[in-house]
Amino acid sequence: MSVATTGMSRGLTVRGERVARVAAPIVVGILLLVAWQLLSGVQTGRLPLVPAPAAVFEQLVSRWDLILDNALITGGNALVGLIGGAILAIVLAGVAAWVRAVDGMLAPLVVGLAVIPIVALAPVLYAMFGLSAQTARQIVAGVAAFVPVFVNVLSGLRQTSAVQRDLFRASAATGAQTFRKLTLPVALPSLLTGLRLASALAVIAALVAEYFGGPANGLGTAIASYAKTGASALAFASVLAAISVGLVFFLVTVLLERLVTWRRPG
């Protein structure tokens, strides 16, 4: 009886945790909507502090085609930057882990890229590549994605211990075999963590770059334009679309991480 009771209590605990995991974000979302509705009743002069949720969702539905087009442009810029920045970061992290001198040369560059303000970088890149091209926005997104991937991959490549490497060396494993069977599996979780962080940063960077110039498209440009012209409901609808783009990037990287972790042997 005690074993059965213990098993039942554990099952109830696990079920309760699952319910709480689902219910918590729903409750938070409801509270945010209530707070939003209350704030929309606050007047700043003759205008509300924020547009009402109903007005924002009405704009989201009625102007869906325009918002979707802008979201695809922002998402495309972020995706190009994420892929390019991640590939460059992985290659350079591999070289830095292999050659200590390269690590010393890259360290100041990575620190500089980590602290460089997007608002200063974007105008310079627009001057270089032109205001009509998306190139500057993609490079800004790539710079934002580069740093977390580089740092995490470099850390992951150095997580193997001397005992593990000696064991492979004693087994007459080649350098390629050691990398494939030991170094890469150990570094893989760090790579996935870097990609998860970089995905959100790439979207944010693309939005900020759009906000400060370039072609007259993208969610960042739309938000700035609608806010200046007083179309606050449409601006908030574009903000919701930007949040959705960021969530899509984040969820895709989380699913990728879960898939790779699930396929890895225990």
Side-chain angles (χ1 to χ4, degrees), residues 66-133:
L66 176 62
I67 294 174
L68 180 60
D69 288 342
N70 287 327
L72 290 175
I73 291 171
T74 300
N77 289 332
L79 182 61
V80 171
L82 176 61
I83 293 174
I87 292 175
L88 181 61
I90 292 170
V91 172
L92 291 180
V95 176
W98 190 266
V99 183
R100 289 285 180 174
V102 175
D103 183 19
M105 290 185 292
L106 289 177
L109 174 62
V110 174
V111 173
L113 290 177
V115 300
I116 188 171
I118 298 175
V119 295
L121 179 62
V124 174
L125 293 175
Y126 284 133
M128 293 172 59
F129 297 99
L131 292 174
S132 61

Side-chain angles (χ1 to χ4, degrees), residues 23-46:
I26 295 176
V27 172
V28 172
I30 293 174
L31 291 176
L32 287 176
L33 280 176
V34 172
W36 184 359
Q37 183 63 47
L38 292 175
L39 287 174
S40 67
V42 179
Q43 298 288 323
T44 55
R46 292 182 297 175

